[in-house]
Amino acid sequence: MTTNAGGSNSAIDWFRYARQIQKQQLRQLAQSGELASRICHLVHMLQCERGASNIWLCSEGRLYDPECRASRALVDEHIAAFLSLLDKERLTSSALCQRIAAALRDLELLPALREDVREKRLDAAAVMEQFSQTIRHLLSIVPQLNDTIDDPRIVRHVVALYSVMQGKELVGQERATGALGFTLGHFSDALRQRLVDRIDGQQPCFDTFLSLASEEMAQIFHTRCGATLEIEQLRRLACTRQPPADRGESALHWFVLHTQRLEHLRALEEALIEALMRAVEALLADDNDTATWQESAEDALALRPDNPLLPLVRQQARELEQLTAQLASLKTTLEERKVIDHAKSVLMNHQNMSEEQAWQCLRKMAMDKNQRMVEIAQALLTVKNLWQ
């Protein structure tokens, strides 16, 4: 039986061999840090182009034409930098290469998508879905950069980073979805529900990040990256009543406020990548003797939760894909709308409310209790059944 490099089966030799393998893995992860940063920047610019394209399409080309052209140019710059970096990378993971291939396929289709936008051959929802798919494939590369190291001191950094990236993408989808409704001057029930889903989906991502982040990173998030009071006011306007007919002024204000939040989240991503690289460098520089390293390895094993963190990254990737896919399928949304409409009818019949008042009442209760409107509606219907 072939064991480690020296052919010995002693515990000390196996610890040495484990340390050797770990260092090889850490060097590979250190090289991947720049790739993660490039992906963050490229995703950020694609999010900008997606939102600007939505406003341009919904305003029939009246708004955001310069912003669309500028964002396309910046996306192209970041694609070139991303491709240049891939030429230098020596990747050995088949799964990682498959994720990169899927992302590159979408990037190759980007010129055709832009032509469809310019010629107005697609509506804003279809354009948003194609941009979101490209972003989803790029984001899926990040957790795959670390598919071998399960040291909790590293995995915590990776999961925290990916959680912020996932939450940031949902903020970007919120910006694009809200821009669509405000520019149209109308939120349909389905569009309103999409917006609510994007808002509700952010919290679990950021909660995961905060559970793993250092005090410094958590403080950055709390002071700079949360939804501002102005954003909350516009959210309430979008979710409880139709926006004013102001020729796109609310849409532009919405877009600017979310862009500022996304910029702060992008800066947080960069800080998290730097923290991850510092942790990697610290482990690489740790040249303790075998006994000391054995003790630290045992401590690391003791830190591992019953359910390792690394699978959480994979789970989050699947959840993001499922949430984004809702743009193409409204089956669940329609079922939830039936529950909400039923609850509205109960309020209208028993509380003498108008339909608009019933909607606002449900939405306010949802916001106050930090729950989705369908959960509030279901609870109300359950109480009603108890009365009967």
Side-chain angles (χ1 to χ4, degrees):
M1 171 181 171
T2 302
T3 57
N4 56 45
S8 172
N9 275 321
S10 72
I12 294 298
D13 285 323
W14 273 103
F15 272 113
R16 287 173 177 162
Y17 189 44
R19 178 60 169 156
Q20 177 186 338
I21 293 174
Q22 186 199 45
K23 283 205 168 188
Q24 292 173 349
Q25 295 169 338
L26 287 168
R27 291 189 189 99
Q28 179 64 49
L29 181 57
Q31 294 173 356
S32 300
E34 187 179 355
L35 182 58
S37 181
R38 283 293 177 194
I39 290 172
C40 285
H41 282 81
L42 176 54
V43 164
H44 185 73
M45 295 317 306
L46 283 167
Q47 290 166 338
C48 289
E49 184 177 353
R50 176 179 60 191
S53 298
N54 262 18
I55 291 181
W56 187 85
L57 282 169
C58 293
S59 67
E60 296 293 326
R62 183 173 55 86
L63 301 173
Y64 262 54
D65 183 62
E67 287 81 359
C68 281
R69 286 186 272 111
S71 63
R72 288 170 193 150
L74 288 170
V75 166
D76 289 342
E77 284 183 19
H78 285 289
I79 289 176
F82 176 60
L83 295 177
S84 176
L85 185 58
L86 286 180
D87 288 339
K88 302 174 186 176
E89 289 282 334
R90 294 183 178 179
L91 304 174
T92 58
S93 167
S94 171
L96 175 58
C97 292
Q98 289 176 358
R99 301 288 179 91
I100 292 173
L104 292 179
R105 178 193 59 199
D106 287 340
L107 292 175
E108 289 168 357
L109 297 174
L110 188 57
L113 174 59
R114 288 170 171 171
E115 183 63 24
D116 286 338
V117 171
R118 281 191 291 266
E119 298 299 323
K120 301 176 184 175
R121 288 192 287 260
L122 295 175
D123 61 23
V127 170
M128 180 177 172
E129 166 58 18
Q130 292 194 39
F131 272 110
S132 297
Q133 175 179 289
T134 303
I135 291 170
R136 184 168 68 245
H137 285 152
L138 283 165
L139 289 179
S140 73
I141 296 172
V142 175
Q144 204 65 47
L145 294 174
N146 178 42
D147 61 349
T148 53
I149 302 174
D150 61 355
D151 187 309
R153 292 164 290 187
I154 297 299
V155 175
R156 290 175 73 90
H157 285 284
V158 175
V159 177
L161 170 62
Y162 187 72
S163 297
V164 168
M165 295 179 72
Q166 182 190 30
K168 178 174 176 286
E169 165 56 4
L170 291 172
V171 174
Q173 290 189 23
E174 179 191 353
R175 176 177 65 176
T177 303
L180 193 158
F182 278 114
T183 306
L184 290 173
H186 172 74
F187 282 86
S188 66
D189 286 346
L191 185 61
R192 184 181 283 119
Q193 189 63 51
R194 290 178 194 172
L195 181 62
V196 171
D197 287 341
R198 270 78 196 150
I199 295 170
D200 291 346
Q202 296 166 28
Q203 196 59 46
C205 302
F206 294 134
D207 284 345
T208 299
F209 156 71
L210 291 170
S211 71
L212 300 170
S214 65
E215 289 186 13
E216 177 188 4
M217 296 300 172
Q219 183 65 20
I220 291 174
F221 177 83
H222 286 307
T223 57
R224 303 178 188 175
C225 301
T228 64
L229 177 60
E230 286 183 288
I231 288 177
E232 291 290 357
Q233 289 172 340
L234 286 173
R235 280 176 172 177
R236 187 177 294 273
L237 176 61
C239 294
T240 61
R241 57 184 184 273
Q242 296 304 335
D246 55 10
R247 295 183 58 78
E249 290 183 13
S250 295
L252 297 181
H253 189 44
W254 169 274
F255 195 86
V256 169
L257 291 173
H258 279 77
T259 298
Q260 292 170 349
R261 187 185 183 199
L262 287 165
E263 289 288 351
H264 290 309
L265 285 167
R266 187 195 63 78
L268 178 59
E269 287 176 340
E270 287 298 311
L272 289 169
I273 291 172
E274 290 178 7
L276 170 60
M277 291 302 101
R278 286 196 299 270
V280 171
E281 291 167 2
L283 286 176
L284 281 170
D286 184 5
D287 289 322
N288 292 329
D289 58 34
T290 302
T292 303
W293 191 81
Q294 175 182 350
E295 182 179 342
S296 66
E298 291 172 350
D299 290 342
L301 286 171
L303 288 172
R304 300 176 200 274
D306 293 337
N307 296 313
L309 289 173
L310 194 56
L312 179 60
V313 180
R314 309 286 188 261
Q315 178 185 348
Q316 288 180 325
R318 290 192 295 270
E319 289 174 352
L320 177 60
E321 184 171 354
Q322 291 167 356
L323 184 58
T324 306
Q326 289 176 0
L327 288 169
S329 174
L330 294 178
K331 181 178 180 180
T332 301
T333 299
L334 292 174
E335 291 299 320
E336 292 180 352
R337 289 305 314 157
K338 292 179 182 177
V339 175
I340 293 172
D341 287 342
H342 190 183
K344 281 165 50 180
S345 297
V346 170
L347 290 174
M348 292 165 65
N349 291 331
H350 291 271
Q351 301 295 328
N352 295 321
M353 291 184 179
S354 67
E355 183 176 2
E356 182 65 20
Q357 288 173 330
W359 172 271
Q360 291 185 23
C361 179
L362 288 171
R363 183 57 192 161
K364 185 178 185 302
M365 286 191 289
M367 288 183 171
D368 290 344
K369 295 181 177 296
N370 196 27
Q371 291 180 309
R372 297 178 62 218
M373 191 183 296
V374 67
E375 295 171 347
I376 296 297
Q378 187 63 63
L380 188 148
L381 294 176
T382 300
V383 171
K384 172 182 176 291
N385 290 334
L386 292 176
W387 292 343
Q388 297 175 344

